[in-house]
Every structure is written in C-alpha cells, then in structure tokens.
Amino acid sequence: MFDWKKSLTIFRIPELRKKILIVLGLLTIFRISTVIPLPGVPRESLEALFGGNQLFGLLDIFSGGGLSNMSVVMLGVGPYITASIVMQLLTMIVPRLEEMSKEEGEGGRQKINQWTRLLTVPMAAVQAFGFINILTRQSDAAGGVSLAFSPWGMFVAVVTVTAGTLFLMWLGELITEQGIGNGISLIIFVGIIARLPQIIIQAYATWTPDLLLTYGSFLVVSVVVIAGVVMVAEGQRSIPVSYAKRIRGNRMLGGASTHLPLRVNQAGVIPIIFALSVMLFPGIIANFFLAVDNEAVRNGAAWVVDLFQDQWFYGITYFVLVVAFTYFYTSVTFDPYNIAENLQKQGGFIPGIRPGRRTAQFLKYVINRITLTGAMFLGIIAVLPLVMQGILGVTTLTIGGTALLIVVSVVLETMKQFESHLTMREYEGFLR
C-alpha cells in the first residue's frame, strides 16, 4: 500500500530533491522539443492522418505528439530502441560480442552501448526519410495539409530529425544517470501522459447521453487492465533454495534457506516495443518503391502498404510478434545454466533437484511455463485497442493497453528506485 505521508520524505533529502528537479527539467525540455516543427512544414496539425492507422497512432503517443506535429523529435526514441534490438540479436549470434558482454564486464558493455549509439544514426536517418515520405503521400491523398519537400529540403529534414533522435537519446542517458528511473522509459512515459488532457477534451467535446454506457465500459476496462498489469508486473514464482552447511575453522557457515524469484513477466514492456519497431520496417521499405518505374514492383509495394494497414493482419501479426519477442528477450536476460552454475559454486541447491545440469533444466522448464502466461498477457494488452474499438465503436478514449502497460510499469519501477534511495538513507519507505 502507498503511504503518501512517507512519500513526502523524498523532498526533505537535498540530494534526492536536486535529482528530481534535474529530471523534471530534462523532461520539460523534451516536451518543448515536441512542438518545434521541422523547417518548411505548415503550422497546421497533421493529426487527422493518424486516425485510421493504429501503428502511427501508437507511435504518435510514444513521441508525445511529436510525430503528428512533424516536430524535430518526431521519431522519439524509436531508432535507438531499434538499434538496441539489432545489437542484442548480434550479441547472441556473434561470439565476439557475446564474449564482450559476459566476460569483459562493464568495459565490454560500454563498448556495445557505444556501438548502439553509432547504429542509431543510420537507423534514425532511414526511418526519418521513410516517415516523411509516408506522411507526404498521405497528406496528398487526404487533400488536407499539403507537404512538399525539395531535395535540399528533404535532406535538411532528415538531418534535423536524426539530430532530434540523438538529442532525445542523450537526454535519456542524462536522466538515467540521476538514478531515479530509466531515462528512455520516462521519456516514453511523459509522451503518453502528455496526451491525456487532449483525450479528455476530445471525449468531453463528443459527449452525448447515449455514450454513457460506452464511456463507463471504457473506465471499467481501464481499471481492470491497470489491476492486471500490476498483478502481472509484481507476480513471481519463488523457487526454494537451500545452502549446504560448511565448517571453516571453528565456524559453521551456510545452512540457510532462501528463494529464487522468477517473475511472470521477465521482459517487462520491451517485447511490445520490439514488435512495434519490427512492424515499422516493411511499410517504410515498401514506401521507397511506390514511385519506381517498374509496375510490378510498384504494385507489390502498394500491396505491402495496404496489408499493414489492414486491422486484422495488423492485430494478428502484432500479437504473434509480442509473444515471440517475450520468449526471445526472456532467453537473453535469463540464463538458467549460468544461474545453476552460480548456485552450485555457492553451495546452493533446489530441494529435490540435483545441482548442475538438472537444476538448469528445471529452471528452464519453469521459466518457459510462466513466460507463456506473461507473453499471452502482453499480446492481449497489445491488441486491446482493436478489441475496444470493435466492441465500443469509439476511438476517442482508446489510449491503448500498451500505453497503460508502459505507464504502470514505469511508475512501479520509479517507485522502487525511490524506495531504494530512502532505504539507503535509513528512512522508512513509502511502500508497506
């Protein structure tokens, strides 16, 4: 339970208060950057272009409205996340990278982080060029705000958007250094929260008595989703671990019993962001070929673009990718053989299970079973906006289960970091 009186303690600690003010200042800079338009872009809003596209609408939420406004940070931190995905895949495939991440310690991880930053540059440039082309074609088709870039204007826009992504990546790292939350997660969190006033205003503007049941149903579903997110985020399977007794000199060591916590959702919200990043590329690449002279290539590219705008295909593909990436990320972050080896070195064992390989197989079996529950939950959360729109027939209120999942997860993570700061300073925490 949250204790509001104890939570005020964090503002009585000068060092912690300073960190909070720095983070708030950096997040304010991010919000200001989302309303700075690209050079040569009309001041009118482009939000109408995102009404019928779930993928772009979700990306616009993550960027805090930067995409629909075509701001200098219109891509948000998406390219950096994509580069992180690529580097994690390469770490699993390339033996040298795997050795650097595991055996060289902090130095190896810093090199991989540096390569991730460098890879973000071409990722951001490609995505910027693709998105600007897509928005230009959609604006022309919609007959609304007309976007037209000369070759030099397109170059300036791509460079500006790429620099905006690198700027957000830098802001995220500065926030992370303060030690009260993950910078990238907080930037996404603020981008989502910033859209709430607009959603509430739209809901109020379109309110009629006939929508009472619809709005009430949405609020009930939102409360249920938030409760489910908290339960899954905090849910874990505790594996009992015992330590053998050892005698050193006149002292007896060991003999204690503890547990190994295995979370239901080891991957957090990362699989959803991974799946979202992967689903971007087919549409972006296909848009490159819409203007070629070859009719067969042009028709194929148009078919791919239309396919990824189909709601059924979008929902099924999104669900499958989220489930697959949940298992993938869990396998990257949780190595049962390494854990079993460390337990054996420390004299620990799971009662009824032989140390070593048998313990690793048991842990792998358990983690695969509980990951299924977490993966299915994340998949349902990801496609929840489609279900809500199909049942309630309203898109104004549907901020999306993905957004709720990220908001709740970031709040829980940040609260735990505040709790650890208070514990280190010998204050009683505000979670009890």
Side-chain angles (χ1 to χ4, degrees):
M1 190 176 78
F2 189 82
D3 192 332
W4 290 101
K5 293 182 179 179
K6 296 284 178 26
S7 66
L8 297 178
T9 306
I10 62 177
F11 295 101
R12 301 190 189 122
I13 308 172
E15 180 186 356
L16 198 53
R17 184 171 61 245
K18 179 181 177 182
K19 289 179 180 292
I20 294 174
L21 293 176
I22 291 175
V23 170
L24 292 177
L26 294 174
L27 292 176
T28 302
I29 294 174
F30 159 64
R31 288 301 305 151
I32 294 174
S33 64
T34 60
V35 296
I36 302 176
L38 284 175
V41 175
R43 298 288 297 180
E44 294 87 349
S45 174
L46 299 171
E47 293 180 2
L49 300 178
F50 298 82
N53 193 306
Q54 281 288 332
L55 187 60
F56 283 0
L58 187 57
L59 288 172
D60 189 42
I61 291 176
F62 285 171
S63 65
L67 185 59
S68 60
N69 293 325
M70 289 201 73
S71 72
V72 293
V73 293
M74 59 182 290
L75 296 181
V77 292
Y80 177 71
I81 295 172
T82 305
S84 300
I85 296 171
V86 173
M87 289 304 301
Q88 289 190 4
L89 289 172
L90 291 177
T91 301
M92 296 183 64
I93 297 172
V94 181
R96 174 57 182 158
L97 292 177
E98 184 177 5
E99 180 183 346
M100 287 178 59
S101 64
K102 292 183 178 180
E103 298 181 5
E104 294 188 13
E106 186 63 27
R109 286 190 289 270
Q110 287 182 359
K111 289 182 181 179
I112 293 177
N113 290 337
Q114 182 63 24
W115 292 342
T116 303
R117 299 186 190 103
L118 295 176
L119 185 60
T120 301
V121 177
M123 289 286 184
V126 171
Q127 290 188 26
F129 183 76
F131 271 120
I132 292 173
N133 273 287
I134 292 173
L135 295 178
T136 300
R137 292 192 181 97
Q138 286 192 352
S139 64
D140 293 338
V145 179
S146 179
L147 299 175
F149 290 92
S150 63
W152 173 252
M154 176 63 75
F155 173 78
V156 172
V158 170
V159 171
T160 303
V161 173
T162 303
T165 297
L166 298 179
F167 174 70
L168 289 188
M169 180 183 69
W170 177 63
L171 282 184
E173 292 181 350
L174 290 180
I175 294 173
T176 303
E177 288 177 0
Q178 301 304 314
I180 56 174
N182 180 277
I184 301 300
S185 298
L186 284 175
I187 286 177
I188 297 176
F189 168 81
V190 171
I192 295 172
I193 293 299
R195 298 297 301 274
L196 286 179
Q198 180 182 354
I199 293 174
I200 295 173
I201 292 174
Q202 289 179 353
Y204 178 77
T206 58
W207 162 257
T208 61
D210 298 337
L211 293 176
L212 178 61
L213 180 60
T214 299
Y215 284 17
S217 301
F218 174 81
L219 293 176
V220 171
V221 171
S222 298
V223 172
V224 172
V225 168
I226 292 174
V229 169
V230 174
M231 289 179 62
V232 172
E234 297 298 304
Q236 65 183 31
R237 166 94 180 263
S238 298
I239 306 296
V241 176
S242 299
Y243 289 89
K245 294 182 179 180
R246 294 172 293 173
I247 298 177
R248 289 186 179 179
N250 296 326
R251 295 189 302 170
M252 179 177 292
L253 304 176
S257 296
T258 182
H259 67 274
L260 178 66
L262 301 182
R263 289 193 172 276
V264 175
N265 180 18
Q266 293 274 134
V269 298
I270 299 298
I272 290 181
I273 300 175
F274 277 15
L276 188 64
S277 301
V278 170
M279 290 185 67
L280 285 177
F281 277 99
I284 291 177
I285 295 174
N287 271 273
F288 289 156
F289 296 96
L290 288 176
V292 299
D293 296 332
N294 191 304
E295 184 177 357
V297 175
R298 189 169 60 250
N299 292 338
W303 178 80
V304 171
V305 172
D306 293 338
L307 181 65
F308 275 83
Q309 290 181 352
D310 180 80
Q311 298 298 308
W312 280 99
F313 178 82
Y314 165 84
I316 295 173
T317 305
Y318 197 12
F319 180 86
V320 172
L321 285 176
V322 168
V323 173
F325 274 120
T326 302
Y327 274 95
F328 164 73
Y329 194 77
T330 300
S331 66
V332 171
T333 57
F334 184 86
D335 186 355
Y337 292 94
N338 186 36
I339 293 176
E341 182 181 354
N342 290 334
L343 282 177
Q344 189 173 16
K345 289 180 179 178
Q346 297 171 6
F349 62 94
I350 300 174
I353 306 295
R354 286 185 178 181
R357 186 175 180 181
R358 290 290 181 87
T359 297
Q361 292 175 346
F362 174 77
L363 292 176
K364 185 177 181 181
Y365 171 75
V366 173
I367 197 66
N368 284 338
R369 291 188 64 183
I370 64 177
T371 299
L372 177 62
T373 303
M376 297 298 291
F377 176 80
L378 289 181
I380 293 172
I381 289 294
V383 300
L384 186 62
L386 295 177
V387 178
M388 292 286 292
Q389 290 180 22
I391 296 177
L392 302 179
V394 60
T395 60
T396 303
L397 288 174
T398 311
I399 189 174
T402 300
L404 288 177
L405 176 64
I406 292 176
V407 167
V408 175
S409 299
V410 172
V411 169
L412 289 175
E413 178 187 358
T414 305
M415 287 173 60
K416 288 179 180 178
Q417 293 211 13
F418 278 130
E419 181 82 3
S420 64
H421 278 289
L422 293 177
T423 303
M424 284 191 301
R425 291 166 175 81
E426 298 182 355
Y427 286 95
E428 184 180 353
F430 50 80
L431 290 175
R432 60 182 183 183

